[in-house]
Amino acid sequence: MSEGAGSGTTGGVAGAARPPIRVLVVEDDPVAADAHVMYVGRVPGFVAVGKAHTGAEARRFLDRAPVDLLLLDLHLPDVHGLQLARTLRAAGHHADVIAVTSARDLAVVREGVSLGVVQYVLKPFTFATLRDRLVRYAEFHAAAGEASGQDEVDRALAALRAPGPASLPKGLSGPTLERVTVALRGGAEGLTATALAEAVGISRITARRYLEHLVDTGRAERRPQYGTVGRPELVYQWVRSEPR
């Protein structure tokens, strides 16, 4: 775990006069944790104050430093994220939670509502997706004082709701990204763009675009594979060592 892992400003969504929203990234995958810290630091009004790779590390951090928001992976090596949230609530910690997960179980979503989970972000996601959630959270976080009526309460809650599906880079689609992700995670030794294209049923050029997107978002890595003749071919591999 490291402190001071990111930086932010007090301008933008949180308002120039407001202190930045302090975010603790809780994610067991070091590559993903670093990417999330970087993402948070790129959103005005937010600062990544640290990162933790286990629930125990997160609890120790919260015991000694103030945090407004947890960017919380639900599948940690020592505890489920919702159980961690429950434990933190019982211990008197009141930080809000944006859950980061590949799980799509709506029962988990419902349970999270009672534990301070204000947003869910499904993996894999882009910077634009997280930025949208953080901007909306900042609007909700900034609401203070007594509401003048039902309309004002509704507006505060509506700030947390996204208007529609978060956009991917131009030319990429969510369903195809999901198929690419499943195929890549199933390739233990990694896949070339050619092999992925055959597995998913898309062109090699299209496969390469999706693979590069996964690399850019910290979900995959690439390495050269040297053959006997010609230039080395790039092999892409999912960065996690265990399924989520």
Side-chain angles (χ1 to χ4, degrees):
M1 175 172 62
S2 62
E3 297 183 42
S7 62
T9 68
T10 56
V13 296
R18 297 180 181 274
I21 294 171
R22 298 160 298 192
V23 182
L24 175 64
V25 172
V26 187
E27 163 65 58
D28 71 320
D29 185 306
V31 174
D34 288 343
H36 297 169
V37 166
M38 179 186 67
Y39 284 175
V40 170
R42 289 171 60 187
V43 181
F46 289 84
V47 57
V49 295
K51 57 185 175 181
H53 300 304
T54 67
E57 287 183 359
R59 287 192 295 271
R60 288 195 294 269
F61 190 99
L62 287 163
D63 284 340
R64 68 174 189 266
V67 171
D68 301 306
L69 179 67
L70 298 179
L71 192 60
L72 176 63
D73 182 14
L74 293 188
H75 293 273
L76 298 171
D78 58 340
V79 65
H80 190 277
L82 291 186
Q83 181 58 45
L84 174 62
R86 185 178 294 106
T87 300
L88 293 175
R89 285 289 180 270
H93 297 294
H94 301 293
D96 291 321
V97 176
I98 292 181
V100 178
T101 179
S102 58
R104 288 162 170 77
D105 186 348
L106 292 179
V108 173
V109 174
R110 289 194 297 271
E111 182 181 357
V113 170
S114 65
L115 299 172
V117 177
V118 296
Q119 291 274 13
Y120 279 83
V121 181
L122 291 179
K123 297 178 180 180
F125 59 86
T126 64
F127 167 66
T129 298
L130 182 60
R131 179 184 58 198
D132 175 77
R133 298 303 189 274
L134 291 178
V135 167
R136 290 179 176 280
Y137 171 76
E139 295 173 3
F140 173 76
H141 184 77
E146 186 173 345
S148 60
Q150 183 68 50
D151 288 348
E152 192 167 343
V153 172
D154 291 343
R155 283 195 298 273
L157 294 175
L160 292 173
R161 295 196 292 268
S167 59
L168 289 167
K170 186 176 180 180
L172 304 189
S173 73
T176 302
L177 179 61
E178 179 70 19
R179 288 159 51 208
V180 167
T181 298
V182 170
L184 188 61
R185 291 177 71 170
E189 302 301 320
L191 295 172
T192 64
T194 300
L196 181 74
E198 294 174 355
V200 177
I202 54 180
S203 72
R204 180 184 178 280
I205 293 176
T206 300
R208 177 76 177 271
R209 289 194 62 202
Y210 281 94
L211 289 167
E212 288 296 326
H213 168 70
L214 290 175
V215 170
D216 291 342
T217 54
R219 310 309 309 136
E221 59 186 6
R222 51 168 131 62
R223 67 179 188 276
Q225 176 177 273
Y226 295 93
T228 56
V229 180
R231 294 181 179 179
E233 191 169 10
L234 291 175
V235 174
Y236 297 81
Q237 190 164 20
W238 191 253
V239 297
R240 290 191 177 278
S241 59
E242 62 183 36
R244 294 301 182 129

